Amino acid sequence: MKLSLPTKIFLAFGITVLVFASLAVYSLRSFRNVGEDLQNIVSGHLVLARLTGQLETHQQNRFRDVRRAIAADSQSNRQAILRISNAYHPQMIFRRIEDTSKLCRKQLFHLKSTTRKSVPKDFERESKRDFYLTVLRQIEQIQEKHIQLSQELESLNGAVTNSTTARARTASKVGTIEAELVAVVYQLTKSINEQTERAVYRAQQNEKTTAWRIVAITAIALLLGVLLALWSTRALAPIQELVEFAKAISRGDYERKVHIRGDDELSTLGNELMLMARGRQKREEELDRQQDELERAYHRVADLKKYHESVVESLSTSIIVTDRDLLITSANEAVFTNFGMSESRVIGKYLPDLDLGAVMEKESQSLKSILENNELQNISSFVYQERLYEAAIVPFRSAEGVVLGLVIAAEDVTVAVQTKEALIRSERLAAIGRMSAHVTHEIRNPLSSIGLNAEILESLKPEDAKQTHELCQAIIREVDRLTAITEAYLNFARLPRPNLRNASPKRLLEDIAAFVGPECTAAGVNLIIQAEDAEISLDIDQIRQAILNLVRNAKESMPSGGALHLLAEPVNHEFRIRIQDNGVGIEETEISRIFDPFYSTKQTGTGLGLALVQQIVSEHNARLEAASVPGEGTRFDLYFPLREISEQHA
């Protein structure tokens, strides 16, 4: 039967391992015996010697204090010395006696559970057993003597034993006990020392014998190992060529060849290594290609990052980023320019401690609460260093959606607001010009009609009473028309600033519904109210007038009847009042012009109703939105800022 090379090597090294294992087992066993002897010395004899020495020291100290107490003249001094001595020395002596007893019993138990094969070892075990039993007996004698001493010392604490004779008798008994204890302790110390010396001698002899035996066995094992190593080296010589081939592969030299002849395992390994080299070459080529792609992607990401940083730095809007503790982590150049702060005064600082952060805290809800609520917080405006800013605070999230901090974008709108106000003034002046022209046109026609009717009246005879009455009625109608035009113009041109006070939108809608209810019922319109109870700050008369205009327009848009919804509810950070009908609707081309002055889709309208509504809403810092679908209805939404509500409640 032909054995393979690995099997031969395995058998050879198996024999080597077996020899060295036998050596190790023998060495461990021998050293274990030596170790047990040393352990007995360290944990047995030496500990006994230490405990005996401590016991002797505490015993001497106790007898010294007893002699001092006997020699004391006054009863109080004796009692004080004995009280201190009895509180410490007996406790320490009995503790050492107890420790010594435990150690002896432990060693006896260990000797009982340990078996030795050789007869000399059994003799040693019996000798050790007798030793520990002797120590136990001596310790018991010491304990009995100290108990006897404690009983003798009780007489010194009595109040009647103050005579010299009594103290002399006690001193004699104490001296006898002391002499007996000294003799017992001396014998105990002597036994321990002799047993320790014998144990040390045995350990030394065992150590020498074990060492020589191990040296001899080790020499045999090494000789066998050298022979097996030489044979293995010869059998494994081709492995060196395989190693060189593997090193060449690791260096990237894939052109190297391996030349091993035969049909054994090493030749098979050489062929597999060559196949592996070709596979690795292909993988490295693929990895090089992927690395090139990753590097190009990295450069693209780096360029994109620089591009985004450049964009942020070039913005005129101030961008501040904080962490969850509101410490500023980054800010663009606009922050330092707009707010006049250096980078060292901003980066790493606690935002609410800065003047800018204090202003933001004042104008918005707490920055901490924005982090906790995880919602967008818009600040309509705030003033800092006599400049007007509009800002938005938004939680900054990671890719997993975890809030990492805040992003604050503040834009200087001082010039924009000033420009807007100038445009509003210009538009208002232009509107007044258009209104003047329109009013002039509207007034000219009634005046012409009135003048013509007056001339006809002048030429009529007294008997033409009926015609005279008709002409007077026509003049009255034209005068009423002039009055309506004048009132609408004055309401639009002279709208007073709103007198804001707390009001309930629910109650306001209920009052309006009660006022227009009969009109809606007569027109076949079903009035539906859905309002949440709240308080907002507004001019109740102006908002009532605006909503009445919208309600009446909605009623007129449903000539065949329908449903009119009045809703009031908070939406996000605003409070919304909605007037919605299902009437004829407004065309898409006209919806953008319905708020223009004098523009009307009705034949009899002045065109100032919705313009007045728009002006009232603007004066309340609110906004008005309109949406309509022809044939389905129209919706008007009035949005009042919740900031007004929070200020009122505060």
Side-chain angles (χ1 to χ4, degrees):
M1 179 179 178
K2 183 179 180 181
L3 298 178
S4 62
L5 180 61
T7 304
K8 295 177 182 178
I9 296 175
F10 175 77
L11 290 175
F13 280 96
I15 295 171
T16 306
V17 170
L18 182 61
V19 172
F20 277 96
S22 301
L23 172 62
V25 170
Y26 177 78
S27 300
L28 289 174
R29 184 175 178 182
S30 300
F31 281 114
R32 184 189 66 181
N33 295 334
V34 175
E36 288 180 359
D37 292 334
L38 294 176
Q39 182 67 24
N40 288 330
I41 295 172
V42 174
S43 62
H45 303 91
L46 294 182
V47 175
L48 278 176
R50 177 174 57 81
L51 292 174
T52 305
Q54 294 176 354
L55 176 61
E56 185 178 8
T57 300
H58 290 300
Q59 182 175 285
Q60 292 174 354
N61 292 336
R62 186 181 187 187
F63 280 111
R64 182 196 60 200
D65 291 342
V66 169
R67 287 192 292 272
R68 286 176 54 207
I70 294 173
D73 295 332
S74 65
Q75 179 72 7
S76 59
N77 290 340
R78 283 197 299 276
Q79 290 178 346
I81 295 171
L82 288 176
R83 184 168 54 253
I84 295 173
S85 176
N86 291 335
Y88 176 73
H89 294 305
Q91 180 181 1
M92 299 304 295
I93 289 171
F94 289 130
R95 184 178 298 174
R96 295 298 171 264
I97 291 173
E98 182 180 358
D99 293 342
T100 305
S101 299
K102 286 182 179 179
L103 178 61
C104 290
R105 293 189 183 95
K106 180 180 178 182
Q107 294 296 328
L108 288 171
F109 177 78
H110 177 71
L111 290 172
K112 184 178 180 180
S113 61
T114 304
T115 58
R116 300 291 181 88
K117 293 182 179 181
S118 60
V119 175
K121 293 295 182 179
D122 288 339
F123 287 156
E124 292 176 9
R125 184 162 59 87
E126 291 299 326
S127 175
K128 293 177 182 178
R129 180 175 176 277
D130 293 340
F131 165 71
Y132 286 117
L133 289 174
T134 303
V135 172
L136 277 176
R137 287 194 297 271
Q138 292 172 338
I139 286 296
E140 290 174 357
Q141 292 177 9
I142 294 172
Q143 185 175 6
E144 292 174 357
K145 292 298 180 181
H146 276 283
I147 293 174
Q148 182 181 356
L149 176 63
S150 298
Q151 293 173 352
E152 292 294 335
L153 293 179
E154 289 181 359
S155 61
L156 289 177
N157 287 324
V160 295
T161 57
N162 295 322
S163 64
T164 305
T165 304
R167 282 186 290 164
R169 185 172 58 254
T170 303
S172 175
K173 292 181 180 180
V174 169
T176 302
I177 295 172
E178 180 180 7
E180 293 174 352
L181 282 173
V182 169
V184 174
V185 171
Y186 173 77
Q187 290 297 327
L188 176 61
T189 305
K190 182 179 179 182
S191 304
I192 293 172
N193 292 335
E194 291 176 353
Q195 189 69 15
T196 303
E197 290 175 358
R198 286 197 295 271
V200 170
Y201 177 77
R202 286 196 303 270
Q204 290 175 347
Q205 293 300 323
N206 291 337
E207 182 181 8
K208 291 179 181 179
T209 303
T210 300
W212 280 110
R213 290 176 181 175
I214 291 175
V215 168
I217 298 175
T218 302
I220 296 172
L222 289 176
L223 179 60
L224 180 59
V226 169
L227 294 176
L228 291 175
L230 292 174
W231 176 82
S232 300
T233 302
R234 182 177 178 183
L236 299 176
I239 291 180
Q240 183 62 31
E241 185 177 356
L242 294 177
V243 171
E244 295 297 330
F245 179 69
K247 291 181 179 179
I249 293 175
S250 65
R251 294 193 301 268
D253 183 8
Y254 299 108
E255 302 299 328
R256 189 184 181 102
K257 302 296 181 181
V258 61
H259 304 283
I260 298 178
R261 298 178 181 180
D263 57 353
D264 57 3
E265 291 81 358
L266 291 180
S267 61
T268 303
L269 178 60
N271 294 329
E272 292 296 329
L273 283 175
M274 287 190 291
L275 293 175
M276 183 192 71
R278 287 194 291 269
R280 179 173 176 177
Q281 183 178 9
K282 292 180 180 179
R283 286 195 298 272
E284 287 191 356
E285 291 174 354
E286 179 65 20
L287 288 175
D288 290 340
R289 184 185 64 80
Q290 293 178 359
Q291 183 179 1
D292 292 339
E293 293 180 356
L294 288 175
E295 288 180 353
R296 289 193 295 270
Y298 171 79
H299 290 304
R300 287 196 299 270
V301 171
D303 293 340
L304 183 62
K305 180 176 180 292
K306 291 180 180 179
Y307 172 75
H308 287 164
E309 290 176 349
S310 301
V311 170
V312 173
E313 289 296 330
S314 62
L315 289 176
S316 59
T317 302
S318 301
I319 307 295
I320 298 176
V321 181
T322 74
D323 59 13
R324 285 194 60 83
D325 297 327
L326 296 181
L327 297 177
I328 300 175
T329 58
S330 63
N332 66 346
E333 188 63 30
V335 174
F336 313 129
T337 303
N338 294 340
F339 301 123
M341 294 185 290
S342 62
E343 183 175 354
S344 60
R345 291 183 54 197
V346 175
I347 304 301
K349 303 299 181 182
Y350 184 56
L351 179 58
D353 289 345
L354 302 179
D355 294 340
L356 177 62
V359 172
M360 291 182 181
E361 286 270 3
K362 181 179 179 182
E363 295 295 332
S364 68
Q365 59 178 312
S366 170
L367 298 176
K368 281 287 187 183
S369 65
I370 298 175
L371 273 174
E372 296 170 356
N373 296 334
N374 196 13
E375 295 179 355
L376 172 65
Q377 169 68 21
N378 287 313
I379 303 177
S380 58
S381 62
F382 67 89
V383 177
Y384 182 77
Q385 295 180 348
E386 300 182 355
R387 304 290 293 179
L388 181 63
Y389 294 90
E390 285 187 355
I393 305 175
V394 64
F396 173 48
R397 300 177 179 86
S398 66
E400 293 77 17
V402 179
V403 177
L404 303 177
L406 293 178
V407 176
I408 302 170
E411 185 174 2
D412 188 346
V413 295
T414 306
V415 176
V417 170
Q418 292 173 350
T419 304
K420 182 179 179 180
E421 292 176 351
L423 289 174
I424 291 174
R425 288 194 296 270
S426 300
E427 290 179 359
R428 184 164 292 183
L429 290 174
I432 292 174
R434 291 194 302 272
M435 289 173 56
S436 300
H438 187 81
V439 169
T440 301
H441 174 73
E442 290 292 330
I443 292 177
R444 184 180 295 124
N445 290 336
L447 289 178
S448 299
S449 177
I450 291 171
L452 179 60
N453 289 330
E455 291 177 0
I456 295 174
L457 279 175
E458 186 179 6
S459 62
L460 289 177
K461 296 179 180 180
E463 58 272 16
D464 298 329
K466 181 179 179 180
Q467 188 176 3
T468 301
H469 177 73
E470 292 176 353
L471 291 174
C472 289
Q473 290 296 324
I475 291 173
I476 291 172
R477 285 195 300 272
E478 295 299 329
V479 170
D480 290 340
R481 182 180 174 189
L482 286 174
T483 301
I485 293 172
T486 304
E487 289 296 330
Y489 172 75
L490 290 177
N491 286 337
F492 183 76
R494 296 181 180 178
L495 181 69
R497 294 193 62 81
N499 182 19
L500 301 178
R501 62 181 185 275
N502 287 347
S504 170
K506 179 179 180 180
R507 187 178 302 171
L508 173 62
L509 293 182
E510 290 174 348
D511 292 343
I512 293 175
F515 181 74
V516 300
E519 300 179 25
C520 293
T521 302
V525 174
N526 183 20
L527 194 59
I528 302 171
I529 299 179
Q530 294 176 334
E532 296 186 18
D533 197 10
E535 279 193 356
I536 59 176
S537 183
L538 48 80
D539 188 317
I540 190 70
D541 295 329
Q542 291 187 6
I543 296 299
R544 177 186 177 89
Q545 180 183 358
I547 295 177
L548 274 175
N549 284 347
L550 296 175
V551 168
R552 283 175 172 155
N553 285 347
K555 177 179 68 68
E556 293 173 0
S557 70
M558 296 181 288
S560 301
L564 176 58
H565 294 267
L566 302 180
L567 294 90
E569 59 184 354
V571 178
N572 294 332
H573 301 286
E574 297 176 304
F575 195 89
R576 179 177 67 190
I577 298 177
R578 172 173 289 181
I579 299 93
Q580 184 172 1
D581 62 67
N582 57 357
V584 295
I586 304 173
E587 295 294 335
E588 184 178 358
T589 56
E590 297 178 346
I591 194 70
S592 61
R593 299 184 58 195
I594 59 175
F595 297 112
D596 293 344
F598 302 108
Y599 178 81
S600 177
T601 59
K602 297 183 292 185
Q603 297 295 328
T604 59
T606 62
L608 292 177
L610 290 179
L612 181 62
V613 172
Q614 173 75 3
Q615 186 174 355
I616 291 173
V617 172
S618 298
E619 291 293 334
H620 280 74
N621 290 326
R623 58 190 177 93
L624 176 61
E625 293 182 358
S628 181
V629 177
E632 296 183 8
T634 305
R635 182 184 74 242
F636 289 92
D637 290 328
L638 286 72
Y639 291 93
F640 296 89
L642 278 180
R643 187 166 61 114
E644 301 292 339
I645 301 175
S646 63
E647 288 177 357
Q648 292 297 331
H649 286 298

